[in-house]
Amino acid sequence: GQQVMQIPQYQHVQEGEDFTTYCNSSTTLSNIQWYKQRPGGHPVFLIQLVKSGEVKKQKRLTFQFGEAKKNSSLHITATQTTDVGTYFCAGSRASNTGKLIFGQGTTLQVKP
Amino acid sequence: NAGVTQTPKFRVLKTGQSMTLLCAQDMNHEYMYWYRQDPGMGLRLIHYSVGEGTTAKGEVPDGYNVSRLKKQNFLLGLESAAPSQTSVYFCASSYPRDRGFSYEQYFGPGTRLTVT
């Protein structure tokens, strides 16, 4: 079945350092979404990427969708303690169900 | 708007007991989903529904049943709980048909279930 792999599983950084998480799908995706889950909380939607090679920015966060629509990345510049949490990518194949296949997530710890 | 709500927030069951988790959304979303979250496993889809009266199996449906009798509610049932069903359960909804095309999912706060 379709799989979405995400690395690394954990990342510890010093505040101010950059952070990147990578997502790879075994099949071509119609779109990819990113979610953030704070400790003890629920996943919250960050962004959706649809086009091949698409790059979107939200303040210090940069999201990329690969040319082949099989991989994606989230890069955070100059991390802050408020960035702590688990970041999930979630891929969708073309369908009318909205079903997502989630990666395992990358848990980010930021040391002040 | 309350968004997506889940009841109960916590529950402890003994092996073999049954229970129903309730999910409610007030955003007029067509699609609803039940996930379980286990450490290192991400979110795995249990069952989903694309409309009132319809349900379908996800990745890990065994041991669970669902019903969507009303558009705003999605119920997840465990008929005979097992320790392997100890997990955090999240409900989500998406696709506001009357506001255009968007598949972003809105999650409830979760239910932490322990089966002993």
Side-chain angles (χ1 to χ4, degrees):
Chain A
Q2 180 183 354
Q3 288 190 326
V4 174
M5 307 299 292
Q6 195 173 347
I7 57 169
Q9 189 172 1
Y10 298 98
Q11 185 82 56
H12 294 248
V13 300
Q14 198 73 38
E15 189 172 20
E17 292 181 338
D18 292 355
F19 159 77
T20 305
T21 173
Y22 300 91
C23 187
N24 287 288
S25 170
S26 57
T27 59
T28 302
L29 302 170
S30 65
N31 67 77
I32 195 156
Q33 300 179 15
W34 285 90
Y35 291 79
K36 178 182 179 181
Q37 183 177 24
R38 294 183 188 277
H42 59 276
V44 175
F45 174 80
L46 293 176
I47 207 159
Q48 178 173 280
L49 304 171
V50 178
K51 299 176 185 175
S52 169
E54 190 169 15
V55 178
K56 287 189 176 180
K57 293 190 176 185
Q58 288 181 350
K59 297 184 180 177
R60 295 176 295 104
L61 279 60
T62 302
F63 303 85
Q64 293 188 333
F65 200 11
E67 293 290 341
K69 300 185 76 172
K70 294 177 75 172
N71 58 75
S72 182
S73 65
L74 158 59
H75 179 81
I76 302 178
T77 304
T79 54
Q80 300 175 357
T81 55
T82 53
D83 295 325
V84 163
T86 300
Y87 293 85
F88 292 98
C89 62
S92 175
R93 297 185 72 181
S95 75
N96 60 353
T97 65
K99 281 198 307 179
L100 295 172
I101 302 295
F102 279 81
Q104 300 94 323
T106 297
T107 298
L108 174 64
Q109 297 279 6
V110 179
K111 289 176 279 190
Chain B
N1 287 355
V4 181
T5 58
Q6 291 182 235
T7 52
K9 288 185 170 50
F10 303 93
R11 186 73 186 268
V12 178
L13 288 179
K14 293 187 190 304
T15 296
Q17 287 184 321
S18 64
M19 79 163 294
T20 300
L21 283 68
L22 171 64
C23 176
Q25 53 95 5
D26 61 3
M27 296 176 282
N28 199 34
H29 284 175
E30 294 290 332
Y31 299 169
M32 297 186 75
Y33 313 85
W34 275 107
Y35 294 92
R36 59 178 289 172
Q37 184 174 38
D38 304 293
M41 303 287 287
L43 291 143
R44 292 183 292 168
L45 184 65
I46 304 171
H47 285 280
Y48 65 100
S49 167
V50 299
E52 182 179 317
T54 72
T55 63
K57 294 180 181 180
E59 284 180 82
V60 289
D62 293 344
Y64 306 94
N65 57 75
V66 288
S67 65
R68 182 112 180 258
L69 299 179
K70 293 183 178 180
K71 185 177 181 178
Q72 63 268 33
N73 295 338
F74 196 26
L75 279 64
L76 178 71
L78 286 73
E79 290 187 347
S80 180
S84 60
Q85 294 177 304
T86 293
S87 188
V88 180
Y89 291 85
F90 286 102
C91 175
S93 70
S94 75
Y95 192 37
R97 189 184 292 271
D98 59 343
R99 293 202 294 277
F101 182 91
S102 173
Y103 280 146
E104 64 183 89
Q105 294 189 7
Y106 293 79
F107 284 79
T111 295
R112 188 172 295 274
L113 175 67
T114 302
V115 183
T116 61

Coordinates of all heavy atoms in Angstrom, one line a residue, chain A residues 18-78:
Chain A
D18 N 18.6 26.3 12.5 CA 17.6 25.9 11.5 C 17.2 24.4 11.7 O 18.0 23.7 12.3 CB 18.2 26.1 10.1 CG 18.4 27.6 9.8 OD1 18.0 28.4 10.6 OD2 18.9 27.8 8.7
F19 N 16.1 24.1 11.1 CA 15.6 22.7 11.2 C 14.9 22.3 9.9 O 14.2 23.2 9.3 CB 14.5 22.7 12.4 CG 13.6 21.6 12.3 CD1 13.9 20.3 12.7 CD2 12.3 21.8 11.9 CE1 13.0 19.2 12.6 CE2 11.3 20.7 11.8 CZ 11.7 19.5 12.2
T20 N 15.1 21.1 9.5 CA 14.4 20.6 8.3 C 13.9 19.2 8.5 O 14.6 18.4 9.1 CB 15.4 20.6 7.1 OG1 16.0 21.9 6.9 CG2 14.7 20.2 5.8
T21 N 12.7 18.9 8.1 CA 12.2 17.6 8.1 C 11.8 17.2 6.7 O 11.4 18.0 5.9 CB 11.0 17.4 9.0 OG1 10.4 16.1 8.9 CG2 9.9 18.5 8.8
Y22 N 12.0 15.9 6.3 CA 11.8 15.4 5.0 C 10.7 14.3 4.9 O 10.6 13.5 5.8 CB 13.1 14.9 4.4 CG 14.2 15.8 4.4 CD1 15.1 16.0 5.5 CD2 14.5 16.7 3.3 CE1 16.2 16.9 5.5 CE2 15.5 17.6 3.3 CZ 16.3 17.7 4.4 OH 17.4 18.6 4.4
C23 N 10.0 14.3 3.8 CA 8.9 13.4 3.7 C 9.0 12.8 2.3 O 9.2 13.5 1.3 CB 7.6 14.3 3.8 SG 6.1 13.4 3.8
N24 N 8.9 11.5 2.2 CA 9.0 10.7 0.9 C 7.9 9.8 0.8 O 7.6 9.0 1.7 CB 10.3 10.0 0.8 CG 11.5 10.9 0.6 OD1 11.7 11.5 -0.4 ND2 12.3 11.1 1.7
S25 N 7.2 9.8 -0.4 CA 6.1 8.9 -0.7 C 6.6 7.8 -1.6 O 7.4 8.0 -2.5 CB 5.0 9.7 -1.3 OG 4.0 8.8 -1.7
S26 N 6.0 6.6 -1.5 CA 6.3 5.5 -2.4 C 5.6 5.7 -3.7 O 5.9 5.0 -4.7 CB 5.9 4.2 -1.8 OG 4.6 4.2 -1.4
T27 N 4.6 6.6 -3.8 CA 3.8 6.8 -5.0 C 3.6 8.3 -5.2 O 3.8 9.1 -4.3 CB 2.4 6.2 -4.9 OG1 1.7 6.7 -3.8 CG2 2.5 4.6 -4.7
T28 N 3.3 8.7 -6.4 CA 3.0 10.1 -6.7 C 1.8 10.6 -6.0 O 0.8 9.9 -5.9 CB 2.8 10.2 -8.3 OG1 4.0 9.7 -8.9 CG2 2.6 11.7 -8.6
L29 N 1.9 11.8 -5.5 CA 0.8 12.3 -4.7 C 0.1 13.4 -5.5 O 0.7 14.1 -6.3 CB 1.3 12.9 -3.4 CG 2.1 12.0 -2.5 CD1 2.8 12.8 -1.4 CD2 1.2 11.0 -1.9
S30 N -1.2 13.6 -5.2 CA -1.9 14.7 -5.8 C -1.7 16.0 -5.0 O -1.6 17.1 -5.6 CB -3.4 14.4 -5.9 OG -4.0 14.4 -4.6
N31 N -1.5 15.9 -3.8 CA -1.1 17.0 -2.9 C -0.5 16.5 -1.7 O -0.6 15.4 -1.3 CB -2.3 17.9 -2.7 CG -3.4 17.3 -1.8 OD1 -3.2 17.2 -0.6 ND2 -4.4 16.8 -2.4
I32 N 0.1 17.4 -0.9 CA 0.7 17.1 0.4 C 0.3 18.2 1.3 O 0.3 19.4 1.0 CB 2.2 16.8 0.3 CG1 2.7 16.1 1.5 CG2 3.0 18.1 0.1 CD1 4.0 15.3 1.4
Q33 N 0.0 17.8 2.6 CA -0.3 18.7 3.6 C 0.7 18.6 4.7 O 1.3 17.5 4.9 CB -1.7 18.5 4.1 CG -2.8 18.6 3.0 CD -4.2 18.4 3.5 OE1 -4.4 18.3 4.7 NE2 -5.1 18.2 2.6
W34 N 0.8 19.7 5.5 CA 1.7 19.6 6.7 C 0.9 20.1 7.9 O 0.0 21.0 7.8 CB 2.9 20.6 6.5 CG 3.9 20.0 5.6 CD1 4.0 20.2 4.3 CD2 5.0 19.2 6.0 NE1 5.1 19.5 3.8 CE2 5.8 18.9 4.8 CE3 5.5 18.7 7.2 CZ2 7.0 18.1 4.8 CZ3 6.7 17.9 7.2 CH2 7.4 17.7 6.0
Y35 N 1.1 19.4 9.0 CA 0.4 19.6 10.2 C 1.4 19.8 11.4 O 2.5 19.1 11.3 CB -0.6 18.5 10.6 CG -1.8 18.4 9.7 CD1 -1.7 17.8 8.4 CD2 -3.0 18.9 10.1 CE1 -2.8 17.7 7.6 CE2 -4.1 18.8 9.2 CZ -4.0 18.2 8.0 OH -5.1 18.1 7.1
K36 N 1.0 20.5 12.4 CA 1.8 20.6 13.6 C 1.0 20.2 14.8 O -0.2 20.6 14.9 CB 2.3 22.1 13.8 CG 3.1 22.3 15.1 CD 3.5 23.7 15.3 CE 4.3 23.9 16.6 NZ 4.7 25.3 16.8
Q37 N 1.6 19.4 15.7 CA 1.0 19.0 16.9 C 1.8 19.4 18.1 O 2.9 18.9 18.2 CB 0.7 17.5 16.9 CG 0.0 16.9 18.1 CD -0.3 15.4 18.0 OE1 0.5 14.7 17.3 NE2 -1.3 14.9 18.6
R38 N 1.3 20.3 18.9 CA 2.0 20.6 20.1 C 1.9 19.5 21.1 O 1.0 18.7 21.1 CB 1.4 21.9 20.7 CG 1.6 23.1 19.8 CD 1.1 24.4 20.5 NE 1.1 25.5 19.6 CZ 2.2 26.3 19.4 NH1 3.3 26.0 20.0 NH2 2.1 27.3 18.5
P39 N 2.8 19.4 22.1 CA 2.8 18.4 23.1 C 1.4 18.4 23.8 O 1.0 19.4 24.3 CB 3.9 18.7 24.0 CG 4.9 19.5 23.2 CD 4.1 20.2 22.2
G40 N 0.8 17.2 23.8 CA -0.5 17.1 24.5 C -1.7 17.6 23.7 O -2.8 17.6 24.1
G41 N -1.4 18.1 22.5 CA -2.5 18.7 21.7 C -2.9 17.9 20.5 O -2.6 16.7 20.4
H42 N -3.6 18.5 19.6 CA -4.1 17.8 18.4 C -3.4 18.4 17.2 O -2.9 19.5 17.2 CB -5.6 17.9 18.3 CG -6.1 19.3 18.2 ND1 -6.4 20.1 19.3 CD2 -6.4 20.0 17.2 CE1 -6.8 21.2 19.0 NE2 -6.9 21.3 17.6
P43 N -3.4 17.6 16.1 CA -2.7 18.2 14.8 C -3.5 19.4 14.3 O -4.7 19.4 14.3 CB -2.9 17.0 13.9 CG -3.0 15.8 14.7 CD -3.8 16.2 15.9
V44 N -2.7 20.4 13.9 CA -3.3 21.6 13.3 C -2.7 21.8 11.9 O -1.5 21.7 11.7 CB -3.0 22.8 14.2 CG1 -3.5 24.1 13.6 CG2 -3.6 22.7 15.6
F45 N -3.6 22.0 11.0 CA -3.2 22.2 9.6 C -2.3 23.4 9.4 O -2.6 24.5 10.0 CB -4.5 22.4 8.7 CG -4.2 22.7 7.3 CD1 -3.9 21.7 6.4 CD2 -4.3 24.0 6.8 CE1 -3.7 22.0 5.1 CE2 -4.1 24.3 5.5 CZ -3.8 23.3 4.6
L46 N -1.2 23.3 8.7 CA -0.3 24.4 8.4 C -0.5 24.8 7.0 O -0.6 26.0 6.7 CB 1.2 24.0 8.6 CG 1.6 23.7 10.0 CD1 3.0 23.2 10.1 CD2 1.4 24.9 10.9
I47 N -0.4 23.9 6.0 CA -0.3 24.3 4.6 C -0.6 23.1 3.7 O -0.5 22.0 4.1 CB 1.0 24.9 4.3 CG1 0.9 25.9 3.1 CG2 2.1 23.8 4.0 CD1 2.1 26.9 3.1
Q48 N -1.0 23.4 2.5 CA -1.2 22.4 1.5 C -0.4 22.8 0.2 O -0.5 23.9 -0.2 CB -2.7 22.2 1.1 CG -3.0 21.2 0.0 CD -4.4 21.0 -0.2 OE1 -5.1 20.2 0.5 NE2 -5.0 21.6 -1.2
L49 N 0.3 21.8 -0.4 CA 1.0 22.0 -1.6 C 0.4 21.1 -2.7 O 0.1 20.0 -2.4 CB 2.5 21.7 -1.4 CG 3.2 22.4 -0.3 CD1 4.6 21.9 -0.1 CD2 3.3 23.9 -0.6
V50 N 0.2 21.7 -3.8 CA -0.5 21.0 -4.9 C 0.3 20.8 -6.2 O 0.3 19.8 -6.8 CB -1.8 21.6 -5.2 CG1 -2.6 20.9 -6.3 CG2 -2.7 21.7 -4.0
K51 N 1.1 21.8 -6.5 CA 1.8 21.8 -7.8 C 3.2 21.3 -7.7 O 3.9 21.5 -6.7 CB 1.9 23.3 -8.3 CG 0.5 23.9 -8.6 CD 0.7 25.4 -9.0 CE -0.6 26.1 -9.1 NZ -0.5 27.5 -9.4
S52 N 3.6 20.6 -8.8 CA 5.0 20.1 -8.9 C 6.0 21.3 -8.7 O 5.9 22.3 -9.3 CB 5.2 19.5 -10.2 OG 6.5 19.2 -10.5
G53 N 7.0 21.1 -7.8 CA 8.0 22.1 -7.6 C 7.6 23.3 -6.7 O 8.3 24.2 -6.6
E54 N 6.4 23.2 -6.2 CA 5.8 24.4 -5.5 C 6.6 24.7 -4.2 O 7.1 23.8 -3.5 CB 4.4 24.1 -5.1 CG 3.6 25.3 -4.6 CD 2.1 25.0 -4.5 OE1 1.7 23.9 -4.6 OE2 1.3 26.0 -4.3
V55 N 6.8 26.0 -3.9 CA 7.4 26.4 -2.7 C 6.5 27.5 -2.1 O 6.1 28.4 -2.7 CB 8.8 27.1 -3.0 CG1 9.4 27.6 -1.7 CG2 9.8 26.1 -3.7
K56 N 6.2 27.3 -0.8 CA 5.4 28.3 -0.1 C 6.1 28.6 1.2 O 6.8 27.8 1.8 CB 4.0 27.7 0.2 CG 3.1 27.6 -1.0 CD 1.7 27.2 -0.5 CE 0.7 27.2 -1.7 NZ -0.6 26.8 -1.2
K57 N 5.9 29.9 1.6 CA 6.5 30.4 2.9 C 5.5 30.9 3.8 O 4.5 31.5 3.4 CB 7.6 31.4 2.6 CG 8.8 30.9 1.8 CD 9.9 32.0 1.7 CE 11.1 31.4 1.1 NZ 12.3 32.3 1.1
Q58 N 5.7 30.6 5.1 CA 4.9 31.2 6.1 C 5.9 31.7 7.2 O 6.4 31.0 8.0 CB 4.0 30.1 6.8 CG 2.8 29.7 6.0 CD 2.0 28.7 6.7 OE1 2.4 28.1 7.8 NE2 0.8 28.3 6.2
K59 N 6.2 33.0 7.1 CA 7.1 33.6 8.0 C 8.5 32.8 8.0 O 9.1 32.8 7.0 CB 6.6 33.7 9.5 CG 5.3 34.5 9.5 CD 4.8 34.7 11.0 CE 3.6 35.5 11.0 NZ 3.0 35.6 12.4
R60 N 8.9 32.2 9.1 CA 10.1 31.4 9.1 C 10.0 30.0 8.5 O 11.0 29.3 8.5 CB 10.6 31.4 10.5 CG 11.0 32.8 11.1 CD 11.4 32.7 12.6 NE 10.3 32.2 13.4 CZ 10.2 31.0 13.9 NH1 11.1 30.1 13.6 NH2 9.2 30.6 14.7
L61 N 8.9 29.6 8.1 CA 8.7 28.2 7.6 C 8.6 28.2 6.1 O 7.9 29.0 5.5 CB 7.3 27.6 8.1 CG 7.3 27.1 9.6 CD1 7.7 28.1 10.6 CD2 6.0 26.4 9.8
T62 N 9.4 27.3 5.5 CA 9.4 27.2 4.0 C 9.0 25.7 3.7 O 9.7 24.8 4.2 CB 10.8 27.5 3.4 OG1 11.1 28.8 3.8 CG2 10.8 27.4 1.9
F63 N 8.0 25.6 2.8 CA 7.6 24.3 2.4 C 7.9 24.1 1.0 O 7.7 25.0 0.1 CB 6.0 24.2 2.7 CG 5.6 24.4 4.1 CD1 5.4 25.7 4.5 CD2 5.4 23.4 5.0 CE1 5.0 26.0 5.8 CE2 5.0 23.7 6.3 CZ 4.8 25.0 6.7
Q64 N 8.3 22.8 0.6 CA 8.6 22.5 -0.8 C 7.9 21.2 -1.2 O 7.8 20.3 -0.4 CB 10.1 22.4 -1.0 CG 10.9 23.7 -0.8 CD 12.3 23.6 -1.3 OE1 12.9 22.5 -1.2 NE2 12.9 24.6 -1.7
F65 N 7.5 21.2 -2.4 CA 6.9 19.9 -3.0 C 7.8 19.6 -4.2 O 8.1 20.4 -5.0 CB 5.5 20.2 -3.5 CG 4.6 19.0 -3.6 CD1 5.0 17.7 -3.2 CD2 3.4 19.1 -4.2 CE1 4.2 16.6 -3.3 CE2 2.6 18.0 -4.4 CZ 3.0 16.7 -3.9
G66 N 8.3 18.3 -4.2 CA 9.2 17.9 -5.2 C 8.7 17.9 -6.6 O 7.4 17.9 -6.8
E67 N 9.6 18.0 -7.6 CA 9.2 18.0 -9.0 C 8.4 16.8 -9.4 O 7.4 16.9 -10.2 CB 10.4 18.1 -9.9 CG 11.2 19.4 -9.8 CD 10.5 20.6 -10.3 OE1 9.5 20.4 -11.1 OE2 10.8 21.7 -10.0
A68 N 8.7 15.6 -8.8 CA 8.0 14.4 -9.1 C 6.8 14.2 -8.3 O 6.1 13.2 -8.4 CB 8.9 13.2 -9.0
K69 N 6.5 15.1 -7.4 CA 5.3 15.1 -6.5 C 5.4 13.8 -5.6 O 4.4 13.1 -5.3 CB 4.0 15.2 -7.2 CG 3.9 16.5 -8.0 CD 2.6 16.7 -8.6 CE 1.5 17.0 -7.7 NZ 0.2 17.4 -8.3
K70 N 6.6 13.4 -5.2 CA 6.8 12.2 -4.3 C 7.5 12.6 -3.1 O 7.6 11.7 -2.2 CB 7.5 11.1 -5.1 CG 6.7 10.5 -6.2 CD 7.5 9.5 -7.0 CE 7.6 8.2 -6.2 NZ 8.2 7.1 -7.0
N71 N 8.0 13.8 -3.0 CA 8.7 14.2 -1.7 C 8.4 15.6 -1.4 O 8.0 16.4 -2.2 CB 10.2 13.9 -1.8 CG 10.8 14.7 -3.0 OD1 11.0 15.9 -2.9 ND2 11.1 13.9 -4.0
S72 N 8.6 16.0 -0.1 CA 8.4 17.3 0.4 C 9.3 17.6 1.5 O 9.9 16.7 2.1 CB 6.9 17.4 0.8 OG 6.6 18.7 1.2
S73 N 9.4 18.8 1.8 CA 10.3 19.2 3.0 C 9.7 20.5 3.7 O 9.0 21.2 3.1 CB 11.7 19.5 2.6 OG 11.8 20.6 1.7
L74 N 10.0 20.5 5.0 CA 9.6 21.7 5.8 C 10.9 22.2 6.4 O 11.6 21.4 7.1 CB 8.6 21.3 6.8 CG 8.5 22.3 8.1 CD1 8.1 23.7 7.7 CD2 7.5 21.7 9.1
H75 N 11.2 23.5 6.2 CA 12.4 24.1 6.7 C 12.0 25.2 7.6 O 11.2 26.1 7.2 CB 13.3 24.5 5.6 CG 14.6 25.2 6.1 ND1 15.7 24.5 6.5 CD2 14.9 26.5 6.3 CE1 16.7 25.3 6.9 NE2 16.2 26.6 6.7
I76 N 12.6 25.2 8.9 CA 12.3 26.3 9.8 C 13.6 27.1 10.0 O 14.6 26.5 10.4 CB 11.7 25.9 11.1 CG1 10.5 25.1 10.9 CG2 11.5 27.1 12.0 CD1 9.8 24.6 12.2
T77 N 13.6 28.4 9.7 CA 14.8 29.2 9.9 C 14.8 29.8 11.3 O 13.8 30.3 11.8 CB 14.8 30.3 8.9 OG1 14.7 29.8 7.5 CG2 16.0 31.2 9.0
A78 N 15.9 29.8 11.9 CA 16.1 30.4 13.3 C 15.0 30.0 14.2 O 14.1 30.7 14.6 CB 16.1 31.9 13.1

